[in-house]
Amino acid sequence: MTSRPEDLRRTLIGEKDRSPDLTIVQWNVLADWAAFGSFDRAPTDSLPWDVRGPRVLTLLEDGLPQPPDVICLQEVDRHDDLAEALCARGYAAEFVPKEEGRDGCSMFVRAATHALVATQTVRYREPDGTPHSQLALIAQLRNLADGGIIQVATTHLKAKPGHEELRLRQVEQLIAGLDASLPTIVTGDFNDVPGSLAHAHVATHLRSAYADVLGAEPAWTTWKVRGDEETRRTIDYVWYSEPHFRALSCLDLPAEDRVQPERFPSWQYPSDHLSLAVQFARR
Protein backbone atom coordinates (compact mmCIF):
# COMPACT_ATOMS: atom_id res chain seq x y z
CA MET A 1 0.00 0.00 0.00
CA THR A 2 1.25 3.48 -0.85
CA SER A 3 2.36 5.41 2.20
CA ARG A 4 0.19 8.29 3.32
CA PRO A 5 2.03 11.58 2.69
CA GLU A 6 1.28 14.85 4.41
CA ASP A 7 -1.71 16.80 3.16
CA LEU A 8 -1.05 19.49 0.60
CA ARG A 9 -0.45 22.82 2.25
CA ARG A 10 -2.24 25.65 0.53
CA THR A 11 -2.62 29.30 1.47
CA LEU A 12 -4.37 32.39 0.21
CA ILE A 13 -2.29 34.65 -1.98
CA GLY A 14 -3.09 38.17 -3.11
CA GLU A 15 -4.52 41.07 -1.14
CA LYS A 16 -5.16 39.81 2.39
CA ASP A 17 -5.19 42.99 4.47
CA ARG A 18 -8.87 43.65 3.69
CA SER A 19 -11.76 41.59 5.02
CA PRO A 20 -13.64 40.04 2.09
CA ASP A 21 -17.29 40.71 1.39
CA LEU A 22 -17.75 37.31 -0.22
CA THR A 23 -15.77 34.05 -0.20
CA ILE A 24 -16.51 31.39 -2.82
CA VAL A 25 -15.29 27.79 -2.99
CA GLN A 26 -15.43 25.89 -6.29
CA TRP A 27 -14.70 22.15 -6.53
CA ASN A 28 -15.37 19.08 -8.64
CA VAL A 29 -15.27 16.60 -5.77
CA LEU A 30 -15.15 13.42 -7.93
CA ALA A 31 -18.30 11.33 -7.91
CA ASP A 32 -18.27 8.15 -5.88
CA TRP A 33 -19.33 6.15 -8.95
CA ALA A 34 -16.39 7.57 -10.94
CA ALA A 35 -13.68 7.00 -8.35
CA PHE A 36 -12.95 3.34 -9.08
CA GLY A 37 -11.45 1.91 -12.26
CA SER A 38 -10.30 5.22 -13.71
CA PHE A 39 -7.16 6.18 -11.82
CA ASP A 40 -4.47 3.57 -12.29
CA ARG A 41 -2.01 4.83 -9.69
CA ALA A 42 -4.52 5.74 -7.01
CA PRO A 43 -4.31 3.59 -3.85
CA THR A 44 -7.54 1.60 -3.93
CA ASP A 45 -8.18 1.97 -0.20
CA SER A 46 -8.01 5.77 -0.50
CA LEU A 47 -11.00 5.90 -2.88
CA PRO A 48 -14.13 4.80 -0.95
CA TRP A 49 -16.47 7.63 -0.03
CA ASP A 50 -16.21 6.90 3.67
CA VAL A 51 -12.52 7.81 3.31
CA ARG A 52 -12.82 10.66 0.78
CA GLY A 53 -16.01 12.25 2.11
CA PRO A 54 -14.61 13.44 5.46
CA ARG A 55 -11.53 14.76 3.64
CA VAL A 56 -13.73 16.73 1.23
CA LEU A 57 -15.61 18.30 4.13
CA THR A 58 -12.37 19.24 5.87
CA LEU A 59 -10.80 20.76 2.76
CA LEU A 60 -13.79 22.98 2.00
CA GLU A 61 -12.27 25.42 4.48
CA ASP A 62 -8.67 24.73 3.44
CA GLY A 63 -6.51 27.81 3.93
CA LEU A 64 -9.46 30.13 4.62
CA PRO A 65 -9.62 32.42 7.67
CA GLN A 66 -13.39 31.97 7.93
CA PRO A 67 -15.99 29.59 6.46
CA PRO A 68 -16.86 30.28 2.81
CA ASP A 69 -20.11 32.09 2.09
CA VAL A 70 -20.95 29.93 -0.92
CA ILE A 71 -19.69 26.45 -1.80
CA CYS A 72 -20.19 25.26 -5.39
CA LEU A 73 -19.59 21.58 -6.12
CA GLN A 74 -19.80 19.42 -9.22
CA GLU A 75 -19.88 15.68 -9.83
CA VAL A 76 -21.84 15.25 -6.62
CA ASP A 77 -23.53 11.89 -6.08
CA ARG A 78 -23.37 12.02 -2.28
CA HIS A 79 -25.31 15.23 -1.82
CA ASP A 80 -27.29 13.97 1.16
CA ASP A 81 -24.10 13.10 3.02
CA LEU A 82 -22.57 16.50 2.31
CA ALA A 83 -25.81 18.33 3.09
CA GLU A 84 -26.22 16.59 6.44
CA ALA A 85 -22.77 17.75 7.53
CA LEU A 86 -22.89 21.24 6.00
CA CYS A 87 -26.43 22.06 7.11
CA ALA A 88 -25.27 21.24 10.65
CA ARG A 89 -22.58 23.87 10.10
CA GLY A 90 -25.18 26.48 9.16
CA TYR A 91 -25.53 26.14 5.39
CA ALA A 92 -28.61 25.96 3.19
CA ALA A 93 -28.36 23.31 0.49
CA GLU A 94 -29.44 23.10 -3.17
CA PHE A 95 -28.87 20.18 -5.53
CA VAL A 96 -29.77 19.56 -9.17
CA PRO A 97 -29.02 16.16 -10.76
CA LYS A 98 -27.84 15.76 -14.32
CA GLU A 99 -30.24 14.40 -16.90
CA GLU A 100 -29.01 10.81 -16.50
CA GLY A 101 -29.09 11.20 -12.72
CA ARG A 102 -25.70 9.74 -11.79
CA ASP A 103 -24.47 12.99 -10.23
CA GLY A 104 -25.14 16.70 -10.30
CA CYS A 105 -24.28 20.17 -9.04
CA SER A 106 -24.64 21.26 -5.42
CA MET A 107 -24.57 24.71 -3.87
CA PHE A 108 -24.30 25.47 -0.16
CA VAL A 109 -25.04 28.96 1.15
CA ARG A 110 -23.91 30.10 4.58
CA ALA A 111 -27.07 31.21 6.38
CA ALA A 112 -25.19 33.63 8.64
CA THR A 113 -24.23 35.84 5.69
CA HIS A 114 -26.64 35.20 2.80
CA ALA A 115 -30.24 34.13 2.30
CA LEU A 116 -31.28 32.00 -0.65
CA VAL A 117 -33.91 33.97 -2.58
CA ALA A 118 -34.51 31.92 -5.72
CA THR A 119 -32.94 29.22 -7.90
CA GLN A 120 -33.25 28.13 -11.50
CA THR A 121 -31.78 25.33 -13.56
CA VAL A 122 -30.47 25.71 -17.09
CA ARG A 123 -30.47 22.29 -18.77
CA TYR A 124 -28.36 22.54 -21.89
CA ARG A 125 -29.87 21.59 -25.24
CA GLU A 126 -28.99 21.33 -28.89
CA PRO A 127 -30.63 23.87 -31.24
CA ASP A 128 -33.24 21.23 -32.17
CA GLY A 129 -34.15 20.79 -28.50
CA THR A 130 -32.23 17.56 -27.90
CA PRO A 131 -31.22 17.63 -24.22
CA HIS A 132 -27.71 17.25 -22.91
CA SER A 133 -27.08 15.70 -19.52
CA GLN A 134 -25.11 18.77 -18.41
CA LEU A 135 -26.64 21.76 -16.62
CA ALA A 136 -26.13 24.93 -14.64
CA LEU A 137 -27.58 25.79 -11.24
CA ILE A 138 -28.20 29.53 -10.77
CA ALA A 139 -29.11 31.05 -7.41
CA GLN A 140 -30.04 34.55 -6.31
CA LEU A 141 -28.77 35.38 -2.82
CA ARG A 142 -29.50 38.28 -0.48
CA ASN A 143 -26.57 39.66 1.48
CA LEU A 144 -27.84 39.91 5.06
CA ALA A 145 -25.48 42.79 5.85
CA ASP A 146 -26.72 45.23 3.20
CA GLY A 147 -29.75 43.57 1.59
CA GLY A 148 -28.15 43.49 -1.85
CA ILE A 149 -28.95 40.67 -4.29
CA ILE A 150 -26.20 38.75 -6.05
CA GLN A 151 -26.29 35.88 -8.51
CA VAL A 152 -24.13 32.77 -8.20
CA ALA A 153 -24.07 30.03 -10.83
CA THR A 154 -22.25 26.73 -11.03
CA THR A 155 -21.96 24.30 -13.93
CA HIS A 156 -20.28 21.15 -15.21
CA LEU A 157 -19.79 21.10 -18.98
CA LYS A 158 -19.41 18.17 -21.37
CA ALA A 159 -16.15 16.28 -20.88
CA LYS A 160 -13.52 14.86 -23.27
CA PRO A 161 -11.72 16.19 -26.35
CA GLY A 162 -13.73 16.64 -29.51
CA HIS A 163 -16.62 18.48 -27.84
CA GLU A 164 -15.21 22.01 -27.97
CA GLU A 165 -18.06 23.42 -30.05
CA LEU A 166 -20.64 21.69 -27.85
CA ARG A 167 -19.09 23.27 -24.75
CA LEU A 168 -19.26 26.63 -26.51
CA ARG A 169 -23.00 26.13 -27.10
CA GLN A 170 -23.41 25.19 -23.44
CA VAL A 171 -21.70 28.32 -22.12
CA GLU A 172 -23.74 30.43 -24.52
CA GLN A 173 -26.88 29.01 -22.88
CA LEU A 174 -25.39 29.55 -19.43
CA ILE A 175 -24.64 33.22 -20.12
CA ALA A 176 -28.08 33.69 -21.67
CA GLY A 177 -29.68 32.26 -18.52
CA LEU A 178 -28.06 34.82 -16.23
CA ASP A 179 -29.69 38.07 -15.14
CA ALA A 180 -27.23 40.60 -16.60
CA SER A 181 -28.43 43.29 -14.19
CA LEU A 182 -27.17 41.44 -11.09
CA PRO A 183 -23.67 41.17 -9.61
CA THR A 184 -22.60 37.72 -10.76
CA ILE A 185 -20.22 34.91 -9.84
CA VAL A 186 -19.97 31.84 -12.13
CA THR A 187 -18.00 28.76 -11.11
CA GLY A 188 -17.55 25.31 -12.50
CA ASP A 189 -15.71 22.51 -14.20
CA PHE A 190 -15.73 23.75 -17.79
CA ASN A 191 -13.72 20.80 -19.13
CA ASP A 192 -11.86 23.21 -21.40
CA VAL A 193 -8.56 25.02 -21.22
CA PRO A 194 -7.71 28.73 -21.36
CA GLY A 195 -8.04 29.99 -24.91
CA SER A 196 -10.67 27.41 -25.86
CA LEU A 197 -13.93 28.46 -27.49
CA ALA A 198 -15.88 28.12 -24.24
CA HIS A 199 -13.26 29.96 -22.17
CA ALA A 200 -13.02 32.78 -24.71
CA HIS A 201 -16.79 33.21 -24.79
CA VAL A 202 -17.16 33.49 -21.04
CA ALA A 203 -14.22 35.93 -20.98
CA THR A 204 -16.18 38.34 -23.18
CA HIS A 205 -18.77 38.64 -20.39
CA LEU A 206 -16.96 37.98 -17.11
CA ARG A 207 -13.50 38.20 -15.57
CA SER A 208 -11.50 35.25 -14.28
CA ALA A 209 -10.72 35.70 -10.59
CA TYR A 210 -7.65 33.47 -10.64
CA ALA A 211 -6.23 35.17 -13.73
CA ASP A 212 -6.72 38.56 -12.11
CA VAL A 213 -5.04 37.59 -8.82
CA LEU A 214 -2.23 35.47 -10.31
CA GLY A 215 -1.70 37.46 -13.51
CA ALA A 216 -2.69 34.42 -15.60
CA GLU A 217 -4.84 31.33 -15.28
CA PRO A 218 -3.27 28.71 -12.98
CA ALA A 219 -0.96 26.15 -14.55
CA TRP A 220 -3.34 23.33 -13.68
CA THR A 221 -6.47 22.51 -11.73
CA THR A 222 -6.60 18.77 -12.43
CA TRP A 223 -3.77 16.25 -12.48
CA LYS A 224 -4.46 12.57 -13.01
CA VAL A 225 -3.10 9.35 -14.53
CA ARG A 226 -5.26 7.04 -16.61
CA GLY A 227 -3.48 4.13 -18.25
CA ASP A 228 -0.29 5.45 -19.83
CA GLU A 229 -1.67 8.97 -20.08
CA GLU A 230 -0.86 11.63 -17.52
CA THR A 231 -3.06 14.72 -17.78
CA ARG A 232 -2.39 18.06 -16.14
CA ARG A 233 -4.42 21.07 -17.26
CA THR A 234 -6.62 23.96 -16.17
CA ILE A 235 -10.35 23.40 -16.66
CA ASP A 236 -11.93 24.78 -13.43
CA TYR A 237 -12.72 28.48 -13.03
CA VAL A 238 -14.25 31.19 -10.87
CA TRP A 239 -15.62 34.06 -12.96
CA TYR A 240 -17.10 37.36 -11.80
CA SER A 241 -18.84 40.45 -13.15
CA GLU A 242 -17.14 43.79 -13.29
CA PRO A 243 -17.54 46.40 -11.83
CA HIS A 244 -19.59 44.66 -9.12
CA PHE A 245 -16.73 42.69 -7.57
CA ARG A 246 -12.97 42.78 -7.23
CA ALA A 247 -10.97 39.60 -6.68
CA LEU A 248 -8.81 40.11 -3.59
CA SER A 249 -7.12 36.75 -3.07
CA CYS A 250 -7.28 33.11 -4.08
CA LEU A 251 -6.17 29.74 -2.78
CA ASP A 252 -2.79 28.97 -4.33
CA LEU A 253 -1.74 25.83 -6.17
CA PRO A 254 0.27 23.25 -4.24
CA ALA A 255 3.97 23.10 -4.99
CA GLU A 256 4.42 20.59 -7.81
CA ASP A 257 7.32 18.85 -6.08
CA ARG A 258 4.99 18.00 -3.20
CA VAL A 259 2.49 16.17 -5.41
CA GLN A 260 2.96 12.42 -5.06
CA PRO A 261 3.67 10.22 -8.14
CA GLU A 262 0.15 8.78 -8.04
CA ARG A 263 -1.15 12.31 -8.65
CA PHE A 264 -4.85 12.68 -7.79
CA PRO A 265 -6.98 11.24 -6.28
CA SER A 266 -4.79 9.69 -3.61
CA TRP A 267 -4.27 9.61 0.11
CA GLN A 268 -2.85 13.09 -0.33
CA TYR A 269 -5.98 14.55 -1.95
CA PRO A 270 -9.53 13.16 -2.34
CA SER A 271 -10.42 14.38 -5.85
CA ASP A 272 -8.75 14.56 -9.25
CA HIS A 273 -9.54 18.30 -9.26
CA LEU A 274 -8.17 20.99 -6.98
CA SER A 275 -10.58 23.04 -4.94
CA LEU A 276 -10.53 26.73 -5.82
CA ALA A 277 -11.32 29.53 -3.37
CA VAL A 278 -11.60 33.26 -4.01
CA GLN A 279 -12.18 36.18 -1.66
CA PHE A 280 -14.01 39.13 -3.22
CA ALA A 281 -14.66 42.75 -2.33
CA ARG A 282 -17.94 44.34 -3.39
CA ARG A 283 -17.68 47.60 -5.28
Side-chain angles (χ1 to χ4, degrees):
M1 183 179 74
T2 304
S3 62
R4 302 189 187 189
E6 292 182 13
D7 290 343
L8 297 173
R9 292 183 182 140
R10 303 175 65 194
T11 60
L12 285 171
I13 57 175
E15 185 179 335
K16 294 182 284 186
D17 58 352
R18 171 174 172 171
S19 296
D21 298 312
L22 181 70
T23 301
I24 298 279
V25 166
Q26 149 61 30
W27 199 4
N28 177 327
V29 295
L30 178 60
D32 191 22
W33 68 263
F36 290 90
S38 296
F39 305 100
D40 292 349
R41 294 186 191 169
T44 303
D45 47 353
S46 73
L47 298 178
W49 182 250
D50 61 358
V51 174
R52 293 194 305 114
R55 298 277 293 113
V56 167
L57 288 164
T58 297
L59 292 173
L60 290 174
E61 298 184 19
D62 183 26
L64 298 176
Q66 66 272 329
D69 299 294
V70 184
I71 299 169
C72 297
L73 307 178
Q74 302 82 48
E75 214 169 284
V76 177
D77 63 352
R78 293 285 191 155
H79 174 79
D80 290 347
D81 294 344
L82 294 169
E84 180 179 7
L86 289 171
C87 289
R89 297 183 190 179
Y91 285 86
E94 289 290 328
F95 173 71
V96 181
K98 290 181 183 175
E99 191 72 23
E100 82 283 356
R102 290 197 296 181
D103 59 74
C105 294
S106 292
M107 188 180 298
F108 298 93
V109 179
R110 190 179 176 211
T113 60
H114 291 78
L116 188 62
V117 175
T119 63
Q120 71 176 70
T121 302
V122 176
R123 294 194 179 274
Y124 302 131
R125 295 181 177 274
E126 288 291 337
D128 65 2
T130 303
H132 302 157
S133 64
Q134 294 77 31
L135 56 88
L137 169 60
I138 304 174
Q140 291 186 10
L141 312 177
R142 177 180 293 109
N143 186 316
L144 299 183
D146 61 18
I149 301 295
I150 67 170
Q151 176 178 232
V152 179
T154 192
T155 191
H156 190 183
L157 302 186
K158 176 68 176 178
K160 301 191 184 306
H163 296 292
E164 290 78 13
E165 291 189 359
L166 189 154
R167 286 189 286 270
L168 172 61
R169 293 195 295 274
Q170 291 182 340
V171 296
E172 288 172 341
Q173 293 171 62
L174 167 60
I175 296 297
L178 299 172
D179 185 335
S181 69
L182 291 176
T184 298
I185 305 287
V186 175
T187 82
D189 175 357
F190 283 70
N191 271 308
D192 235 333
V193 298
S196 64
L197 295 172
H199 182 275
H201 183 76
V202 180
T204 64
H205 298 271
L206 302 167
R207 297 189 64 88
S208 169
Y210 265 71
D212 282 353
V213 173
L214 301 178
E217 297 289 7
W220 55 280
T221 63
T222 181
W223 195 350
K224 67 193 85 175
V225 177
R226 285 174 168 157
D228 296 329
E229 183 179 2
E230 184 166 342
T231 302
R232 190 184 72 157
R233 60 187 187 139
T234 295
I235 57 177
D236 306 276
Y237 305 93
V238 178
W239 303 89
Y240 70 98
S241 62
E242 194 178 43
H244 306 105
F245 295 101
R246 180 166 64 88
L248 297 173
S249 60
C250 65
L251 198 61
D252 67 354
L253 273 68
E256 293 183 10
D257 61 3
R258 293 203 64 247
V259 176
Q260 296 294 302
E262 57 264 36
R263 309 313 184 198
F264 305 134
S266 65
W267 283 116
Q268 192 179 31
Y269 205 73
S271 174
D272 56 327
H273 293 248
L274 287 177
S275 62
L276 306 181
V278 181
Q279 293 188 323
F280 290 98
R282 283 289 303 271
R283 287 177 164 169

